[in-house]
Amino acid sequence: TYKQYTSYADFANDTTKTFNSTMALMVAKYIVQAKAIGSAQELAAIPADSTASYYLTTDIDMSGVTYTAQHFSSSFDGRGFAIKNLSGQLFNHLKEGAIVQNLALINSVRISGQGLLAYLPYANVTINNLVVMTTGNSGQSLAGGLFRQMTVASVTLNNVVIRTASSRNNTDHGFITGFASSGMTVTSNNCYYIAANTVLSDGYLPIGLRSGYINSVADSKAALLGTYKQYTTYADFVDDTTKTLTVELASMIEKYIK
């Protein structure tokens, strides 16, 4: 069984075609035309459990905008632009197969019990070329630079820079996630974490510590696989001539956190 069409519109309008869930998700991600977002109102209007793909056409300032983070299972491409002054997380659950790339989250306001990117990720989530900068207090509990928690996740981080302005002073607070189930791992490729720490002797950990979950400094550090570096100042990051930055990541750093 097969069909031929002369246009994508004919394919989309064919109500007799049959997809399994995996094929439908791939079509939604890679073939269906992505939807442009050019305002705070358009960003706030992304529906729950959307399978559509989205991209930014400009920087988005979320100051004073009521925003409810939704579950997301498709592709979000910042195209090198920033979402600024967002209070809390961009997404609720990043569902299986979700992709977030080429995005800067600038002056994000950290809230206890939330991540800055999402509440939690599912399996096979991929993050490419992401810059996160928060100037507020990073000491809230059950909070992370990316996620609030990781329990059933399989996450790959490619070319990520997270910069936070103040010290970690709660144990259940990590630069990737507030806490995670024992045995959880994150694959990291060329990722960089910039944060001062003057409060806790064990430093600013990848995964926060919590009873019943990952709860030792050694296990937290062991859970982050691949290549990554930590710095206590932005100057140290700049002066490190051994770091590797993609063109997309370098451009966002130049624009938003230099």
PDB file of all heavy atoms in Angstrom, residues 120-140:
ATOM      1  N   LEU A 120      10.195  18.898  34.075  1.00  0.00           N
ATOM      2  CA  LEU A 120      10.939  17.647  33.970  1.00  0.00           C
ATOM      3  C   LEU A 120      10.960  17.184  32.518  1.00  0.00           C
ATOM      4  O   LEU A 120      10.076  17.507  31.739  1.00  0.00           O
ATOM      5  CB  LEU A 120      10.359  16.553  34.875  1.00  0.00           C
ATOM      6  CG  LEU A 120       8.933  16.040  34.662  1.00  0.00           C
ATOM      7  CD1 LEU A 120       8.875  14.972  33.579  1.00  0.00           C
ATOM      8  CD2 LEU A 120       8.392  15.451  35.969  1.00  0.00           C
ATOM      9  N   PRO A 121      12.003  16.431  32.142  1.00  0.00           N
ATOM     10  CA  PRO A 121      12.068  15.859  30.799  1.00  0.00           C
ATOM     11  C   PRO A 121      11.700  14.378  30.810  1.00  0.00           C
ATOM     12  O   PRO A 121      11.901  13.676  31.803  1.00  0.00           O
ATOM     13  CB  PRO A 121      13.544  16.028  30.452  1.00  0.00           C
ATOM     14  CG  PRO A 121      14.245  15.870  31.780  1.00  0.00           C
ATOM     15  CD  PRO A 121      13.289  16.341  32.847  1.00  0.00           C
ATOM     16  N   TYR A 122      11.161  13.900  29.680  1.00  0.00           N
ATOM     17  CA  TYR A 122      10.919  12.479  29.486  1.00  0.00           C
ATOM     18  C   TYR A 122      12.130  11.867  28.772  1.00  0.00           C
ATOM     19  O   TYR A 122      13.203  12.464  28.717  1.00  0.00           O
ATOM     20  CB  TYR A 122       9.656  12.258  28.659  1.00  0.00           C
ATOM     21  CG  TYR A 122       8.357  12.526  29.380  1.00  0.00           C
ATOM     22  CD1 TYR A 122       8.300  13.294  30.527  1.00  0.00           C
ATOM     23  CD2 TYR A 122       7.160  12.027  28.865  1.00  0.00           C
ATOM     24  CE1 TYR A 122       7.098  13.546  31.171  1.00  0.00           C
ATOM     25  CE2 TYR A 122       5.946  12.285  29.503  1.00  0.00           C
ATOM     26  CZ  TYR A 122       5.925  13.043  30.654  1.00  0.00           C
ATOM     27  OH  TYR A 122       4.734  13.293  31.281  1.00  0.00           O
ATOM     28  N   ALA A 123      11.946  10.697  28.189  1.00  0.00           N
ATOM     29  CA  ALA A 123      13.035  10.006  27.517  1.00  0.00           C
ATOM     30  C   ALA A 123      13.386  10.674  26.193  1.00  0.00           C
ATOM     31  O   ALA A 123      12.537  11.266  25.518  1.00  0.00           O
ATOM     32  CB  ALA A 123      12.646   8.548  27.266  1.00  0.00           C
ATOM     33  N   ASN A 124      14.662  10.571  25.852  1.00  0.00           N
ATOM     34  CA  ASN A 124      15.158  10.984  24.530  1.00  0.00           C
ATOM     35  C   ASN A 124      14.899  12.452  24.223  1.00  0.00           C
ATOM     36  O   ASN A 124      14.546  12.816  23.101  1.00  0.00           O
ATOM     37  CB  ASN A 124      14.547  10.100  23.431  1.00  0.00           C
ATOM     38  CG  ASN A 124      14.844   8.629  23.641  1.00  0.00           C
ATOM     39  OD1 ASN A 124      15.959   8.266  23.981  1.00  0.00           O
ATOM     40  ND2 ASN A 124      13.828   7.794  23.482  1.00  0.00           N
ATOM     41  N   VAL A 125      15.082  13.297  25.213  1.00  0.00           N
ATOM     42  CA  VAL A 125      15.009  14.746  25.013  1.00  0.00           C
ATOM     43  C   VAL A 125      16.391  15.261  24.637  1.00  0.00           C
ATOM     44  O   VAL A 125      17.396  14.856  25.242  1.00  0.00           O
ATOM     45  CB  VAL A 125      14.488  15.446  26.285  1.00  0.00           C
ATOM     46  CG1 VAL A 125      14.672  16.956  26.203  1.00  0.00           C
ATOM     47  CG2 VAL A 125      13.020  15.105  26.508  1.00  0.00           C
ATOM     48  N   THR A 126      16.451  16.151  23.640  1.00  0.00           N
ATOM     49  CA  THR A 126      17.723  16.686  23.170  1.00  0.00           C
ATOM     50  C   THR A 126      17.712  18.211  23.243  1.00  0.00           C
ATOM     51  O   THR A 126      16.762  18.853  22.789  1.00  0.00           O
ATOM     52  CB  THR A 126      17.993  16.259  21.714  1.00  0.00           C
ATOM     53  OG1 THR A 126      17.977  14.831  21.638  1.00  0.00           O
ATOM     54  CG2 THR A 126      19.342  16.772  21.243  1.00  0.00           C
ATOM     55  N   ILE A 127      18.788  18.762  23.806  1.00  0.00           N
ATOM     56  CA  ILE A 127      18.958  20.206  23.906  1.00  0.00           C
ATOM     57  C   ILE A 127      20.220  20.580  23.147  1.00  0.00           C
ATOM     58  O   ILE A 127      21.314  20.096  23.476  1.00  0.00           O
ATOM     59  CB  ILE A 127      19.088  20.669  25.376  1.00  0.00           C
ATOM     60  CG1 ILE A 127      17.996  20.032  26.259  1.00  0.00           C
ATOM     61  CG2 ILE A 127      19.084  22.185  25.458  1.00  0.00           C
ATOM     62  CD1 ILE A 127      16.603  20.398  25.890  1.00  0.00           C
ATOM     63  N   ASN A 128      20.099  21.432  22.129  1.00  0.00           N
ATOM     64  CA  ASN A 128      21.242  21.849  21.321  1.00  0.00           C
ATOM     65  C   ASN A 128      21.392  23.377  21.354  1.00  0.00           C
ATOM     66  O   ASN A 128      20.416  24.096  21.133  1.00  0.00           O
ATOM     67  CB  ASN A 128      21.048  21.437  19.854  1.00  0.00           C
ATOM     68  CG  ASN A 128      20.888  19.942  19.664  1.00  0.00           C
ATOM     69  OD1 ASN A 128      21.592  19.161  20.291  1.00  0.00           O
ATOM     70  ND2 ASN A 128      19.967  19.547  18.807  1.00  0.00           N
ATOM     71  N   ASN A 129      22.593  23.847  21.617  1.00  0.00           N
ATOM     72  CA  ASN A 129      22.884  25.276  21.531  1.00  0.00           C
ATOM     73  C   ASN A 129      21.910  26.096  22.386  1.00  0.00           C
ATOM     74  O   ASN A 129      21.018  26.789  21.885  1.00  0.00           O
ATOM     75  CB  ASN A 129      22.834  25.764  20.080  1.00  0.00           C
ATOM     76  CG  ASN A 129      23.876  25.109  19.214  1.00  0.00           C
ATOM     77  OD1 ASN A 129      25.038  24.991  19.595  1.00  0.00           O
ATOM     78  ND2 ASN A 129      23.467  24.657  18.039  1.00  0.00           N
ATOM     79  N   LEU A 130      22.105  25.999  23.699  1.00  0.00           N
ATOM     80  CA  LEU A 130      21.238  26.699  24.651  1.00  0.00           C
ATOM     81  C   LEU A 130      22.088  27.566  25.578  1.00  0.00           C
ATOM     82  O   LEU A 130      23.100  27.108  26.110  1.00  0.00           O
ATOM     83  CB  LEU A 130      20.443  25.690  25.481  1.00  0.00           C
ATOM     84  CG  LEU A 130      19.526  26.283  26.552  1.00  0.00           C
ATOM     85  CD1 LEU A 130      18.334  26.982  25.915  1.00  0.00           C
ATOM     86  CD2 LEU A 130      19.051  25.193  27.517  1.00  0.00           C
ATOM     87  N   VAL A 131      21.660  28.807  25.760  1.00  0.00           N
ATOM     88  CA  VAL A 131      22.271  29.717  26.735  1.00  0.00           C
ATOM     89  C   VAL A 131      21.222  30.055  27.779  1.00  0.00           C
ATOM     90  O   VAL A 131      20.102  30.453  27.434  1.00  0.00           O
ATOM     91  CB  VAL A 131      22.768  31.006  26.056  1.00  0.00           C
ATOM     92  CG1 VAL A 131      23.193  32.036  27.108  1.00  0.00           C
ATOM     93  CG2 VAL A 131      23.925  30.706  25.124  1.00  0.00           C
ATOM     94  N   VAL A 132      21.565  29.886  29.050  1.00  0.00           N
ATOM     95  CA  VAL A 132      20.665  30.235  30.146  1.00  0.00           C
ATOM     96  C   VAL A 132      21.401  31.182  31.078  1.00  0.00           C
ATOM     97  O   VAL A 132      22.504  30.874  31.532  1.00  0.00           O
ATOM     98  CB  VAL A 132      20.210  28.984  30.925  1.00  0.00           C
ATOM     99  CG1 VAL A 132      19.347  29.389  32.116  1.00  0.00           C
ATOM    100  CG2 VAL A 132      19.450  28.024  30.017  1.00  0.00           C
ATOM    101  N   MET A 133      20.786  32.332  31.358  1.00  0.00           N
ATOM    102  CA  MET A 133      21.390  33.260  32.319  1.00  0.00           C
ATOM    103  C   MET A 133      20.315  33.756  33.266  1.00  0.00           C
ATOM    104  O   MET A 133      19.280  34.273  32.850  1.00  0.00           O
ATOM    105  CB  MET A 133      22.044  34.452  31.625  1.00  0.00           C
ATOM    106  CG  MET A 133      22.778  35.371  32.614  1.00  0.00           C
ATOM    107  SD  MET A 133      23.706  36.701  31.821  1.00  0.00           S
ATOM    108  CE  MET A 133      22.367  37.792  31.370  1.00  0.00           C
ATOM    109  N   THR A 134      20.549  33.568  34.549  1.00  0.00           N
ATOM    110  CA  THR A 134      19.655  34.098  35.565  1.00  0.00           C
ATOM    111  C   THR A 134      20.441  35.026  36.471  1.00  0.00           C
ATOM    112  O   THR A 134      21.542  34.695  36.917  1.00  0.00           O
ATOM    113  CB  THR A 134      18.998  32.975  36.386  1.00  0.00           C
ATOM    114  OG1 THR A 134      18.267  33.548  37.470  1.00  0.00           O
ATOM    115  CG2 THR A 134      20.023  31.995  36.927  1.00  0.00           C
ATOM    116  N   THR A 135      19.885  36.199  36.713  1.00  0.00           N
ATOM    117  CA  THR A 135      20.559  37.170  37.577  1.00  0.00           C
ATOM    118  C   THR A 135      19.978  37.167  38.980  1.00  0.00           C
ATOM    119  O   THR A 135      20.461  37.842  39.859  1.00  0.00           O
ATOM    120  CB  THR A 135      20.444  38.587  36.992  1.00  0.00           C
ATOM    121  OG1 THR A 135      19.056  38.904  36.817  1.00  0.00           O
ATOM    122  CG2 THR A 135      21.146  38.678  35.660  1.00  0.00           C
ATOM    123  N   GLY A 136      18.906  36.415  39.180  1.00  0.00           N
ATOM    124  CA  GLY A 136      18.284  36.368  40.495  1.00  0.00           C
ATOM    125  C   GLY A 136      18.940  35.354  41.407  1.00  0.00           C
ATOM    126  O   GLY A 136      19.881  34.655  41.043  1.00  0.00           O
ATOM    127  N   ASN A 137      18.418  35.263  42.623  1.00  0.00           N
ATOM    128  CA  ASN A 137      18.924  34.323  43.613  1.00  0.00           C
ATOM    129  C   ASN A 137      18.783  32.899  43.099  1.00  0.00           C
ATOM    130  O   ASN A 137      17.732  32.492  42.631  1.00  0.00           O
ATOM    131  CB  ASN A 137      18.145  34.495  44.924  1.00  0.00           C
ATOM    132  CG  ASN A 137      18.514  33.450  45.949  1.00  0.00           C
ATOM    133  OD1 ASN A 137      19.637  32.968  45.940  1.00  0.00           O
ATOM    134  ND2 ASN A 137      17.588  33.126  46.815  1.00  0.00           N
ATOM    135  N   SER A 138      19.844  32.139  43.179  1.00  0.00           N
ATOM    136  CA  SER A 138      19.801  30.747  42.720  1.00  0.00           C
ATOM    137  C   SER A 138      19.651  29.778  43.874  1.00  0.00           C
ATOM    138  O   SER A 138      19.924  28.606  43.741  1.00  0.00           O
ATOM    139  CB  SER A 138      21.085  30.429  41.942  1.00  0.00           C
ATOM    140  OG  SER A 138      22.196  30.521  42.801  1.00  0.00           O
ATOM    141  N   GLY A 139      19.228  30.239  45.026  1.00  0.00           N
ATOM    142  CA  GLY A 139      19.213  29.388  46.195  1.00  0.00           C
ATOM    143  C   GLY A 139      17.913  28.678  46.493  1.00  0.00           C
ATOM    144  O   GLY A 139      17.789  28.019  47.503  1.00  0.00           O
ATOM    145  N   GLN A 140      16.903  28.827  45.627  1.00  0.00           N
ATOM    146  CA  GLN A 140      15.628  28.191  45.911  1.00  0.00           C
ATOM    147  C   GLN A 140      15.760  26.670  45.953  1.00  0.00           C
ATOM    148  O   GLN A 140      16.597  26.101  45.281  1.00  0.00           O
ATOM    149  CB  GLN A 140      14.586  28.578  44.859  1.00  0.00           C
ATOM    150  CG  GLN A 140      14.070  30.000  45.009  1.00  0.00           C
ATOM    151  CD  GLN A 140      14.919  30.991  44.262  1.00  0.00           C
ATOM    152  OE1 GLN A 140      16.038  30.675  43.884  1.00  0.00           O
ATOM    153  NE2 GLN A 140      14.418  32.182  44.072  1.00  0.00           N
TER     154      GLN A 140
END
